Amino acid sequence: MIRRDFHRMLLSATALALLPLRGFSQRRGRQLRVNGERLNRLMRELREFGKTPAGGVSRVAYSDADIAARAYIMDRMREAGLSIRVDTAGNILGRREGREPLPPLLMGSHIDSVPDGGAYDGNVGSLGALEAAWTLADNDVTTRHPIEVVIFQNEEGAVVGSEAMGGTLDVSELDRVSQSGVTIGEGMQRLGGDPDRLHEAVRPAGTIAAYLELHIEQGGFLERDAVDIGVVEGIVGIRWWDVTVDGFANHAGTTPMDQRRDALLAGAKFVQAVNRIITSTPGRQVGTVGRIEALPGAPNVIPGQVQLSLEIRDLDAAKIGRLFERIRAEAGVIEDDTGTKIGFTDKVEIVPAPTDPRIRNVIDEVATALGLTHQRMPSGAGHDAQSIAPVAPIGMMFIPSVGGISHSPKEFSEPQDIMNGANVLLNTLLRLDDMRL
Amino acid sequence: MIRRDFHRMLLSATALALLPLRGFSQRRGRQLRVNGERLNRLMRELREFGKTPAGGVSRVAYSDADIAARAYIMDRMREAGLSIRVDTAGNILGRREGREPLPPLLMGSHIDSVPDGGAYDGNVGSLGALEAAWTLADNDVTTRHPIEVVIFQNEEGAVVGSEAMGGTLDVSELDRVSQSGVTIGEGMQRLGGDPDRLHEAVRPAGTIAAYLELHIEQGGFLERDAVDIGVVEGIVGIRWWDVTVDGFANHAGTTPMDQRRDALLAGAKFVQAVNRIITSTPGRQVGTVGRIEALPGAPNVIPGQVQLSLEIRDLDAAKIGRLFERIRAEAGVIEDDTGTKIGFTDKVEIVPAPTDPRIRNVIDEVATALGLTHQRMPSGAGHDAQSIAPVAPIGMMFIPSVGGISHSPKEFSEPQDIMNGANVLLNTLLRLDDMRL
């Protein structure tokens, strides 16, 4: 079981005073605009790295395509006047200096993909951040805080670079074999990092003023409701259990129906119970059984054991716990009905990572000022922002994702929406720069 | 799809007149008894071939253990005065000549096992038949019909030798790789058969007077109800379908519950519907979902497809068809409820093989004469007898199987029950010998 409750403890310590300073800059009235044409050209160029015949992108972390795409990004960062370094975890940081000796405002995302994935997940936030910094250079704007554009390594497999920065990457992860076939540690070296000096990549609480991430929604709400910007309330917590149903395997021909202890019949009741309990409770929680196997798994043998997964997500960790207890109680009823035993093993617990309430308000204001419609929403998917939450206030904004399709070659967001998102990111950054962080 | 409806067509042609002859032999009054001590010694000796550390038997067809056990059986057949031949399919036949020029009475079973199986399935019927023939030799009884003790090859993988004899083994089966790693054709050669002359193993209708098979029940009824002998009404028909549920795979975190087309939720409803329909209909039919897989099968992805198996068994083929139609109609309701599509592919259809009603009556009478309790019952498992049904009247008798456990090292039948079964087999054979077959 992986338990990640660091940021719950730390958040109170980092609840920095985001109070507006008197004497707002001249930018309060008018909004700076990114170069949408350039941003969408960058999107087209970046998708060439690892492009698949289906029009998607296979650019798993540490692959040749990933390394080539990182070189492309660093070239563009140089064009944008950023000074580049790769931290010991292999994250790329492009820095633009500020006027005052303050911790930097960080913004970015990732450019690695799942195998046979799409060209928008991660790319929009990475290039949106680069474009925002480039726009500052184009307009000769020097902010109070330094600005850092970050490209986190290996978000998809999972949030490795950002956890290294947040200080929560377990060193045992370095030995885990990644999608590209090399270990995480070997991958870091391929990216120019140094796993032996991993601690140098950690950014302690207080050393980042705030972290902002633009991302595609990966759900269908914004597109369906024709809303321009999703203002993320937080990244949901996830708990995942392995569930084992033990019955008794027997001959499907000779065992009468009333003498069976059919683990799959019990498993089927369990799957339905999960759905019923999750959907009959008010709220936006989700519960999923994604994996199931019956053993021995022959058409002519009554299943003696069924193994399945249970995953529950919600912004409220206590609610996840209450839902699980209801499911466990229902499992007891199923045990009695079917003569089986149902056991649960905790596998993963990721506590919710709420965004900073004051940053949410700034995003709302910026979207309104830009004439964009906006809506509060949770993020059901994980993001690098959750790894930074332990050490800094975070904010996230979503743009519509057509059909809610993600991790697929069919992933698509409109160029106009990508530009809108980058404009919200840029102007949120500028308003935060004016605040006491 | 394998369709086996030959014996339905043929049975009427082979519904031979099993009318009792006038002038019953002197054996009608007293029952001949087998040598129970010898029979149970043979059981102990045979289980040494392929014995596993758990006390079971791994003696898959064509393995070295199988071949050694066959040599052991042939030695014992010689001791019992039987003349031995191996047919071109690799079945062992031990013959004792009769007084009249009649087709032989056949009795036997198999000695191959499933991997990590038990020492009773097949062995009881094989050694029971050998012991019955041996008892005839001990008592200098010469029957009217010739007697043939048959050890069918590869019953477990499945009914290969008996199908060859019944004329229903498809030649494509010769190329199928068996549990032992060699093809069926290669296996036949290892046993002394000749796959190129397979047709010579076929026994046309009318060339076998009757076939009798003693077997363990492989269910728990006889033991539970303390009944000595099961009089088998027939071997159930089996239909097996592959079932595919198509939904839509999506992100478990970002897809709200009311927008899912979850193939596993539909699959779970289907498993329950099968159970409900099978159990709510009067009768002894069974229905089983033994295999299930959700794709892609990750805890954090809503299953887009579920593949499962459906098997229904009953003595009445028409009833199997009616039950399937009810299940298919219910699947339509599930499709509408869950936004999925459920498709069925016919995989196997084995029509029921009823035993000859007059042989059932003879078994009843013999058991009563021996002071044994008996009960009519279907066979839910397949047996070699079903392959002989197309060409000859068949009869089967069961003995109790402790706990109904089979295909397991825990398989066990009491020595007394084994002896009882052999006595019923012997005396049924003698009564049939007196009848006009």
Side-chain angles (χ1 to χ4, degrees):
Chain A
M1 183 195 172
I2 306 167
R3 191 176 172 87
R4 293 173 177 162
D5 50 6
F6 318 97
H7 43 291
R8 168 180 280 175
M9 297 180 285
L10 290 166
L11 263 179
S12 56
T14 57
L16 305 174
L18 283 165
L19 301 173
L21 285 176
R22 259 172 296 173
F24 260 13
S25 82
Q26 82 291 350
R27 286 187 298 275
R28 187 163 174 74
R30 65 175 185 87
Q31 310 300 317
L32 204 56
R33 304 288 174 137
V34 301
N35 181 337
E37 188 278 323
R38 177 172 59 199
L39 172 56
N40 282 293
R41 176 171 55 76
L42 295 173
M43 287 294 298
R44 287 192 302 275
E45 289 173 0
L46 182 56
R47 74 181 300 163
E48 292 298 315
F49 298 92
K51 190 173 189 174
T52 61
V57 169
S58 258
R59 195 161 67 218
V60 297
Y62 321 134
S63 65
D64 291 345
D66 184 37
I67 289 168
R70 288 164 55 93
Y72 165 84
I73 290 278
M74 288 189 271
D75 285 345
R76 297 295 82 70
M77 283 179 162
R78 283 183 200 98
E79 274 192 69
L82 302 176
S83 61
I84 295 168
R85 75 181 177 95
V86 173
D87 71 12
T88 56
N91 300 309
I92 300 169
L93 291 151
R95 182 174 171 106
R96 178 175 177 80
E97 293 300 338
R99 298 194 307 272
E100 297 179 20
L102 294 169
L105 287 164
L106 195 66
M107 60 179 168
S109 191
H110 65 96
I111 61 165
D112 65 298
S113 82
V114 295
D116 205 25
Y120 298 83
D121 179 354
N123 296 5
V124 165
S126 296
L127 295 177
L130 170 57
E131 174 56 36
W134 208 329
T135 300
L136 295 179
D138 289 345
N139 290 275
D140 286 325
V141 175
T142 302
T143 49
R144 291 173 58 232
H145 298 77
I147 305 294
E148 288 187 3
V149 176
V150 60
I151 309 297
F152 288 114
Q153 64 104 327
N154 201 359
E155 191 267 353
E156 298 291 0
V159 293
V160 171
S162 52
E163 285 204 338
M165 186 177 286
T168 57
L169 184 70
D170 195 294
V171 288
S172 67
E173 286 281 278
L174 295 174
D175 297 325
R176 183 163 59 83
V177 176
S178 70
Q179 287 274 9
S180 63
V182 302
T183 65
I184 301 283
E186 289 163 348
M188 281 183 187
Q189 289 179 312
R190 294 194 69 182
L191 303 186
D194 182 353
D196 293 334
R197 291 162 46 228
L198 193 58
H199 58 280
E200 295 178 22
V202 177
R203 305 279 282 262
T207 62
I208 296 171
Y211 172 68
L212 296 178
E213 186 168 352
L214 167 66
H215 207 283
I216 60 170
E217 182 197 352
Q218 295 179 284
F221 278 115
L222 294 177
E223 190 215 7
R224 190 192 63 185
D225 299 343
V227 173
D228 298 315
I229 298 292
V231 183
V232 178
E233 295 165 295
I235 298 155
V236 297
I238 304 177
R239 288 186 70 184
W240 160 23
W241 297 262
D242 276 352
V243 185
T244 302
V245 185
D246 283 301
F248 191 80
N250 220 329
H251 195 296
T254 58
T255 315
M257 300 305 288
D258 62 356
Q259 293 186 27
R260 298 178 171 209
R261 289 162 52 202
D262 183 341
L264 181 52
L265 181 61
K269 288 173 189 274
F270 179 81
V271 169
Q272 282 200 265
V274 168
N275 190 267
R276 190 178 59 249
I277 290 167
I278 296 291
T279 57
S280 64
T281 305
R284 288 177 298 194
Q285 66 282 345
V286 289
T288 305
V289 178
R291 189 166 52 74
I292 189 166
E293 189 180 11
L295 300 173
N300 58 353
V301 182
I302 300 158
Q305 188 177 78
V306 167
Q307 298 171 349
L308 30 77
S309 61
L310 168 64
E311 198 211 66
I312 307 177
R313 303 188 187 208
D314 193 71
L315 273 179
D316 177 357
K319 186 176 190 182
I320 294 176
R322 288 194 302 273
L323 290 165
F324 175 64
E325 287 311 323
R326 283 187 56 196
I327 289 168
R328 184 147 66 178
E330 182 69 19
V333 175
I334 295 169
E335 285 178 326
D336 293 343
D337 283 353
T338 56
T340 59
K341 282 287 164 196
I342 304 179
F344 297 85
T345 308
D346 276 288
K347 294 299 287 184
V348 169
E349 177 169 4
I350 301 173
V351 297
T355 53
D356 191 285
R358 285 152 297 185
I359 299 182
R360 285 178 217 158
N361 291 340
V362 172
I363 299 171
D364 284 340
E365 290 164 16
V366 165
T368 301
L370 286 165
L372 300 172
T373 55
H374 52 92
Q375 181 180 298
R376 295 286 177 96
M377 62 194 311
S379 172
H383 295 292
D384 287 311
Q386 74 196 38
S387 315
I388 303 306
V391 296
I394 62 167
M396 280 198 82
M397 55 285 286
F398 281 164
I399 59 166
S401 180
V402 174
I405 298 168
S406 186
H407 286 191
S408 158
K410 293 181 185 158
E411 194 175 83
F412 179 69
S413 290
E414 297 286 351
Q416 178 67 47
D417 287 321
I418 294 170
M419 190 177 74
N420 290 344
N423 278 325
V424 173
L425 175 65
L426 169 62
N427 288 287
T428 300
L429 183 88
L430 290 173
R431 291 209 185 195
L432 292 181
D433 184 51
D434 282 341
M435 293 163 75
R436 193 197 309 273
L437 293 174
Chain B
M1 184 198 172
I2 305 168
R3 191 177 173 86
R4 294 174 178 162
D5 50 7
F6 318 98
H7 42 292
R8 169 179 280 175
M9 296 178 288
L10 289 167
L11 262 178
S12 54
T14 58
L16 303 176
L18 283 164
L19 301 173
L21 282 177
R22 259 172 296 175
F24 260 13
S25 83
Q26 81 291 351
R27 287 187 298 276
R28 187 164 174 76
R30 64 177 185 87
Q31 309 300 317
L32 206 56
R33 305 288 175 141
V34 301
N35 182 336
E37 188 278 323
R38 177 171 59 199
L39 173 56
N40 281 292
R41 176 171 55 77
L42 295 173
M43 288 293 299
R44 288 193 301 276
E45 289 174 0
L46 182 56
R47 74 182 300 163
E48 292 299 314
F49 299 92
K51 191 172 189 173
T52 60
V57 169
S58 259
R59 194 161 67 219
V60 298
Y62 322 134
S63 66
D64 291 345
D66 184 37
I67 289 167
R70 287 164 56 93
Y72 166 82
I73 289 279
M74 288 189 272
D75 285 344
R76 297 297 81 69
M77 282 180 163
R78 282 184 201 98
E79 274 192 71
L82 302 176
S83 61
I84 296 168
R85 74 181 176 95
V86 174
D87 71 12
T88 55
N91 299 310
I92 299 171
L93 291 151
R95 182 174 171 107
R96 177 174 176 80
E97 293 301 337
R99 299 194 307 272
E100 297 180 22
L102 294 169
L105 288 164
L106 195 66
M107 60 179 169
S109 191
H110 64 97
I111 61 166
D112 65 296
S113 82
V114 295
D116 206 24
Y120 298 84
D121 179 354
N123 296 4
V124 166
S126 296
L127 295 176
L130 170 56
E131 174 55 37
W134 208 328
T135 300
L136 295 180
D138 290 345
N139 291 274
D140 286 326
V141 176
T142 303
T143 49
R144 290 173 60 230
H145 298 78
I147 306 294
E148 288 188 4
V149 176
V150 61
I151 310 297
F152 288 114
Q153 64 106 326
N154 201 359
E155 191 267 355
E156 297 291 0
V159 291
V160 171
S162 52
E163 285 204 338
M165 186 176 286
T168 58
L169 184 71
D170 195 295
V171 289
S172 67
E173 285 281 279
L174 295 174
D175 297 325
R176 184 164 59 83
V177 176
S178 69
Q179 287 274 10
S180 62
V182 302
T183 64
I184 302 282
E186 289 162 349
M188 281 184 188
Q189 289 179 312
R190 296 193 69 181
L191 303 187
D194 182 352
D196 293 335
R197 290 162 45 228
L198 193 58
H199 58 280
E200 294 178 23
V202 177
R203 305 278 282 262
T207 62
I208 297 170
Y211 173 68
L212 296 178
E213 186 168 353
L214 167 65
H215 208 281
I216 60 169
E217 181 196 353
Q218 296 181 283
F221 278 114
L222 295 177
E223 190 216 8
R224 190 191 63 185
D225 298 343
V227 173
D228 298 314
I229 298 293
V231 183
V232 178
E233 296 165 294
I235 297 155
V236 298
I238 304 176
R239 288 185 70 183
W240 161 22
W241 296 262
D242 277 353
V243 185
T244 302
V245 185
D246 283 301
F248 192 80
N250 221 328
H251 195 297
T254 58
T255 314
M257 300 305 287
D258 62 356
Q259 293 186 27
R260 297 178 172 209
R261 289 163 51 201
D262 182 340
L264 181 53
L265 180 61
K269 289 173 188 273
F270 179 80
V271 170
Q272 283 200 265
V274 168
N275 190 266
R276 190 176 62 247
I277 290 167
I278 296 292
T279 57
S280 66
T281 305
R284 290 177 296 194
Q285 66 282 345
V286 289
T288 305
V289 178
R291 190 166 52 74
I292 189 166
E293 189 182 10
L295 301 173
N300 58 353
V301 182
I302 300 159
Q305 188 177 80
V306 167
Q307 298 171 349
L308 32 76
S309 62
L310 167 63
E311 198 211 64
I312 307 177
R313 303 189 187 206
D314 193 71
L315 273 179
D316 177 358
K319 187 175 190 183
I320 294 177
R322 288 194 302 273
L323 289 165
F324 174 64
E325 287 310 323
R326 284 187 57 197
I327 289 169
R328 182 148 69 176
E330 183 69 19
V333 175
I334 295 169
E335 285 179 326
D336 293 345
D337 283 354
T338 56
T340 59
K341 281 288 164 195
I342 304 180
F344 297 85
T345 307
D346 276 287
K347 293 300 285 184
V348 169
E349 177 170 4
I350 300 173
V351 297
T355 54
D356 189 285
R358 286 153 296 188
I359 299 182
R360 286 178 217 157
N361 290 340
V362 172
I363 299 170
D364 285 338
E365 290 165 16
V366 165
T368 301
L370 287 165
L372 301 171
T373 54
H374 50 94
Q375 181 179 299
R376 295 286 177 97
M377 62 195 311
S379 171
H383 294 293
D384 287 312
Q386 74 197 37
S387 315
I388 303 305
V391 296
I394 62 167
M396 281 197 83
M397 56 285 287
F398 282 165
I399 59 165
S401 180
V402 174
I405 297 168
S406 186
H407 286 192
S408 157
K410 294 182 186 157
E411 195 174 82
F412 178 68
S413 290
E414 296 287 352
Q416 178 67 48
D417 288 321
I418 295 170
M419 190 178 75
N420 289 344
N423 278 325
V424 172
L425 175 65
L426 170 62
N427 288 286
T428 299
L429 183 87
L430 289 174
R431 292 210 184 196
L432 291 181
D433 184 50
D434 282 341
M435 293 164 77
R436 192 198 310 273
L437 293 172

